[in-house]
Every structure is written in C-alpha cells, then in structure tokens.
Amino acid sequence: MKAPSSVSEALSSIKTGSYTTKDLVSFYLHRIEENKDLNAFREVFEKTALEAAERVDEKIRSGTQGKLAGLVIGLKDNICYKNHQVSASSKILDGFISIYNATVVDRLINEDAIIIGRLNCDEFAMGSSNENSAFGAVKNPLDKNRVPGGSSGGSVAAVAADLCLATLGSDTGGSIRQPASFTGTVGLKPTYGRISRYGLIAYASSFDQIGPITKNIPDAALLMEVLSGMDEYDSTLSSKPVPSYSKELQSAGRKNIAVIKECIENDGLNPAIRNYIRSLIDELKKEGHTINEVSFPYLEYMVPTYYVLTTAEASSNLGRFDGVHYGYRSKAAYDLDSTYRKSRTEGFGKEVKRRIMLGTFVLSEGYYDAYYAKAQRVRRLIRNRTNEILKDNDFILLPSTPDVAFEFGKNSSDPVKMYLEDIFTVQANLAGNPAISLPLGKAENDLPFGIQLIARDFEESPLLAFSNHLMNTKTLIKTES
C-alpha cells in the first residue's frame, strides 16, 4: 500500500474500494512502528484510532461522511484530547490526562478526521530544533543526523516521513514554518484570532496560533476551513466569517509582491537560498507580477522584542505548574515552599527555566519599563510597518529560515545563535499576520528550504491561492551557494 498524497486521494481510494479507512490507519500504524527511531510520536492512539476508522468507514458507506473523512492526523503534544495524555513534552506534565477536548480537536472529530497520536515537540513549544523535549530529540527523516526544526518537530517529521497525512502544530515565533522549511512540508500560521486556542497549552498567549502542516495547499485549505471561526471558549477570536478556503484556490490576476531587502541581503542567509529567491523573483516578473523592494528597518530588533515579550508571557502562563494543582510533584518536597521550588526545578528543563527567569526579570520592578513596556512599543512599530507594506502589496516574500536544517548539537550550546533561527519568522507573530512556508527550494546538499509569504490580516484565502499557484508552477529547484 502507498501513502495517499492528499485527503481527496485518500477518500477517493476508500470509496472505490482500494482500501478502507481502517486499512489506512493500520498502514500508518505500521509506518510509525517502522520509523520509531525518529522519535516523532510521544504516544500512538492505536485503539481509539482503529475504532474511529470503523465508524468513518460506516459513514462513507452510507454517504454521510464529513469533510475530513480519509484524513489521518496527528496532534502536537500541547493540544488537549479528552481522555488522552498531553504533556507539552515536559516532565512536569508527564502522565497528565486531559479532561476535555481542544476546540480544534472537536472540529476535527466532527468532520471525521482520525487522530492517530500525539507528537513530540520542544518542551512547552520553546525551541527551534526539537532538542529541548524532555523525552529526546526528534530526528529529521531526510537526514537523521540533523534536526527537524522546532518547536513542532514531531509534527513535521510525521508528515515528511508518511507517518500520517497531516498534523497540527502551534506557531509562537515560527514553530510551524521553521520546521516545515527544514523538512520540505507546507506549514501555515493563520492570522492571530482565526483559530481557537482553547485547549492549547499556552506558551505566550498573544503570539500562539494553531495551524496545519501538510504535503500540499488543498489539504491546508481544507483544514483551515474546518478549524477556523468563532468559539465561545476563546474571546480573542475574530467574528469575521470563514471563507470556503478549499474552493478559492485559483489565483487570479497579477500581484504586487514586496521583498524586504534587509532579509535578502542579510549576511546570515545561506547563499543558496538568496540565489533561489532572486531566480524566483525573475520568474514572477516574467509572469507579470510586480516586485517591490522595500525596507524594513526593524529586522535586528525583532528577535530581541519577541523574546522579551514571549518570555514575560511564559513566566506568567507557566506559573500554574507548581506541583500542587496537577502534574509533577517532587518526592523531596517537605513543605509548601519546597514543593514549589523543587517541583519546578526538577520538572522543567533548562531552556524552559531560562525563559521563565528571563520573563520574570523583564517584568520585575525597576525593569518593566526598560524592557517589557519598550518591547511592546517596538512591537507596535513592527506591526505598523508590516501593515504599511501590505497596504500597497498583496504579499511579502522572504525566506522561511536563514539556512537548511543543521546538525544536532551545532547550535544548542549557544542560546543566542539558536534564537536567531527565528529571525525571518517572528515578524508574522509580532504583527499577527498570516504566513506560510512553501517547500520550493533545495540546497546543493539536497536539503530543502522554505520560501515564506506574509499576507494581510484574515486574507488566508488569497495567500493559499497564490501559494497553490507557486506549488503547482515552480518546480523544486536545487540552487548552489
């Protein structure tokens, strides 16, 4: 049996009798077992997935199946699924069983998607390599000596290795798009307020967004259609109507596309990626699109601003993990103070503790105005400039990552170097705009890299349509440095 390339292919094969949904789930379960050395899955939901497959097969036979029938999907290990474990890949939540479904899980199940397991990630979604998981690093299926990216490393590895057809990740500063770039998959971060965050274990609440990781644009569009929209449990959601994304994938007309010169000229950008973008720009011009080179003077301030604000929010959000309410409690604790101190010291990993301490510092008396308040003002400048560019342009085109996937251990000893992996992705989170990483290029070592597009708020429909055009017309090109 061969892994389907899309939801429509899977459903068509099931309807014509090539295989059943249960056969498809069994195929993926076998693939997961064969590739368990990737460490992509924290847990496989074999029993419930096979039971769900039987129900979906019956619905398909009766013609009452939902939009996502035939979709076998995995969840990042920070999305709650009732009566299943969720840990954010942290020791402090190891063994915790969710008592409710995230809104996105309800919407998947209601449309007959089958959830096959939970996927490894950087602890509490804090990382750019998936080396920070308390349960071991995920390997990149394209080169097992290299990282898959983070924090949604298990999610992208599962799609790239055909362990399921699609996955959900979360993106706080690039945690969907950066690993998608490293593994040759499609990664979409929606507009802030487009998809409910209810049931997502929070890292930084004003940045976090759930989004799909897929092999193609039509599947991403279909998932967006199902997952988006109002939710009574999330007051930050927009009331804007949800378009029929999957039916609006034809990109019509010539586009105005902005290219940020500071990104293309950045010294840290792999020359192969720079060369590819320049050749892509030439092709787009030949198609009749207008390319506008623009300046973005805040590039060097984006990563510091992002880390000041997200660590501040993390120090607040992670205060609930205290060894008292639920989760890990130190066996060495002997009173209330030692319960808090020892449980958090033993339960959190090094990177999480680093970010909690940094966040607590920037919120502390005497430093709040100097760091947190100033970072909020810079965030507003970044959003204003981003929207100013998009006022006259349909999209901003830029790299997803400075380089291809790096080898394990290369950056892990230098937190600043690791943080700079997010230099091209944090803009969309700081500004709130939708952004997508498309697997369009390959470097001379055959490793993929993504090209990123940023669009106006809530304009996922034209973003997906133009992305579909690029995916269908721009052959994967190997570029030399």
Side-chain angles (χ1 to χ4, degrees):
M1 182 176 173
K2 183 183 174 186
S5 61
S6 66
V7 175
S8 59
E9 182 187 317
L11 182 56
S12 176
S13 296
I14 293 166
K15 282 184 171 180
T16 57
S18 298
Y19 48 76
T20 65
T21 310
K22 191 172 182 180
D23 291 335
L24 183 58
V25 170
S26 297
F27 166 78
Y28 281 125
L29 290 171
H30 180 66
R31 291 278 307 160
I32 292 167
E33 180 62 26
E34 280 186 330
N35 292 274
K36 61 184 180 182
D37 65 311
L38 294 175
N39 199 29
F41 279 84
R42 284 280 297 111
E43 183 181 8
V44 181
F45 305 144
E46 180 175 356
K47 182 174 182 294
T48 54
L50 288 170
E51 289 171 352
E54 290 181 352
R55 292 193 296 271
V56 173
D57 276 328
E58 182 57 40
K59 285 181 140 186
I60 292 173
R61 283 191 289 269
S62 65
T64 59
Q65 75 276 3
K67 290 181 180 180
L68 299 180
L71 174 63
V72 180
I73 191 167
L75 302 175
K76 186 174 179 178
D77 187 27
N78 61 352
I79 299 173
C80 293
Y81 182 13
K82 188 176 180 180
N83 297 327
H84 293 75
Q85 289 189 49
V86 60
S87 72
S89 294
S90 176
K91 182 180 175 183
I92 208 160
L93 274 177
D94 190 23
F96 175 75
I97 296 174
S98 178
I99 60 173
Y100 68 96
N101 280 339
T103 296
V104 292
V105 170
D106 277 333
R107 291 181 179 176
L108 289 174
I109 293 171
N110 290 343
E111 292 293 344
D112 293 326
I114 295 166
I115 300 170
I116 199 167
R118 60 188 174 106
L119 295 148
N120 203 349
C121 60
D122 283 301
E123 185 180 3
F124 281 99
M126 298 181 187
S128 303
S129 65
N130 223 135
E131 293 174 284
N132 293 333
S133 170
F135 305 98
V138 177
K139 296 177 183 177
N140 190 324
L142 307 181
D143 182 343
K144 294 180 182 178
N145 294 314
R146 295 176 184 266
V147 304
S151 63
S152 305
S155 296
V156 295
V159 174
D162 285 325
L163 310 186
C164 53
L165 186 51
T167 58
L168 293 188
S170 65
D171 193 309
T172 306
S175 287
I176 288 174
R177 290 160 291 145
Q178 187 253 19
S181 178
F182 281 3
T183 54
T185 53
V186 173
L188 172 63
K189 182 206 85 74
T191 309
Y192 185 82
R194 181 80 285 186
I195 292 178
S196 174
R197 290 180 294 109
Y198 178 73
L200 173 70
I201 296 175
Y203 162 18
S205 302
S206 73
F207 291 78
D208 300 339
Q209 271 293 277
I210 294 171
I213 296 157
T214 61
K215 291 178 172 294
N216 56 68
I217 298 300
D219 284 359
L222 187 59
L223 278 163
M224 279 295 297
E225 199 171 297
V226 168
L227 299 175
S228 301
M230 291 292 290
D231 175 23
E232 63 179 316
Y233 298 114
D234 184 351
S235 62
T236 65
L237 283 182
S238 169
S239 59
K240 289 179 181 290
V242 178
S244 299
Y245 296 116
S246 62
K247 297 181 177 68
E248 300 178 3
L249 289 177
Q250 298 303 313
S251 181
R254 295 180 174 89
K255 307 298 182 185
N256 289 324
I257 302 168
V259 176
I260 298 174
K261 65 180 181 180
E262 288 87 354
C263 293
I264 307 305
E265 296 169 1
N266 190 281
D267 291 339
L269 183 64
N270 183 320
I273 300 176
R274 182 183 295 111
N275 292 341
Y276 177 83
I277 290 177
R278 285 174 176 163
S279 68
L280 178 60
I281 287 170
D282 289 340
E283 287 188 45
L284 291 170
K285 286 179 178 178
K286 288 176 186 175
E287 286 185 3
H289 304 293
T290 300
I291 305 297
N292 299 308
E293 187 177 274
V294 298
S295 177
F296 195 87
Y298 308 115
L299 185 66
E300 65 183 287
Y301 302 109
M302 287 200 296
V303 170
T305 300
Y306 169 80
Y307 277 98
V308 167
L309 295 176
T310 57
T311 56
E313 293 186 22
S315 73
S316 175
N317 279 327
L318 272 61
R320 70 195 70 177
F321 305 106
D322 55 13
V324 175
H325 296 91
Y326 47 77
Y328 177 81
R329 180 180 296 180
S330 172
K331 291 183 172 58
Y334 52 85
D335 61 10
L336 185 62
D337 180 70
S338 65
T339 298
Y340 289 150
R341 185 161 33 84
K342 291 183 178 293
S343 297
R344 287 168 66 80
T345 299
E346 297 169 14
F348 287 133
K350 184 168 77 171
E351 181 59 31
V352 175
K353 285 187 280 193
R354 179 186 289 123
R355 297 195 193 194
I356 290 173
M357 287 189 289
L358 177 58
T360 303
F361 170 76
V362 301
L363 288 174
S364 62
E365 186 177 1
Y367 298 99
Y368 181 95
D369 289 334
Y371 293 101
Y372 182 76
K374 185 177 288 185
Q376 288 286 26
R377 291 194 290 273
V378 176
R379 184 181 193 180
R380 172 53 64 180
L381 292 174
I382 290 167
R383 175 164 172 76
N384 288 348
R385 179 56 184 152
T386 300
N387 289 334
E388 185 181 324
I389 294 170
L390 289 168
K391 188 189 238 180
D392 301 317
N393 293 277
D394 298 290
F395 311 109
I396 300 171
L397 186 152
L398 67 166
S400 298
T401 52
D403 207 343
V404 296
F406 49 87
E407 294 180 350
F408 283 105
K410 182 179 179 182
N411 296 337
S412 54
S413 61
D414 185 348
V416 174
K417 191 173 182 182
M418 188 71 81
Y419 295 167
L420 287 172
E421 288 294 321
D422 300 329
I423 190 167
F424 300 131
T425 53
V426 294
Q427 179 181 354
N429 300 87
L430 285 161
N433 299 72
I436 193 167
S437 178
L438 305 173
L440 295 176
K442 275 192 175 182
E444 57 187 358
N445 52 8
D446 266 346
L447 291 171
F449 57 82
I451 299 301
Q452 188 181 184
L453 291 172
I454 300 175
R456 301 182 189 108
D457 288 350
F458 300 102
E459 292 203 359
E460 282 87 355
S461 195
L463 176 64
L464 287 163
F466 191 67
S467 297
N468 197 44
H469 167 72
L470 292 179
M471 290 283 286
N472 290 334
T473 60
K474 308 304 174 201
T475 307
L476 194 68
I477 299 171
K478 184 190 291 188
T479 56
E480 297 183 0
S481 56

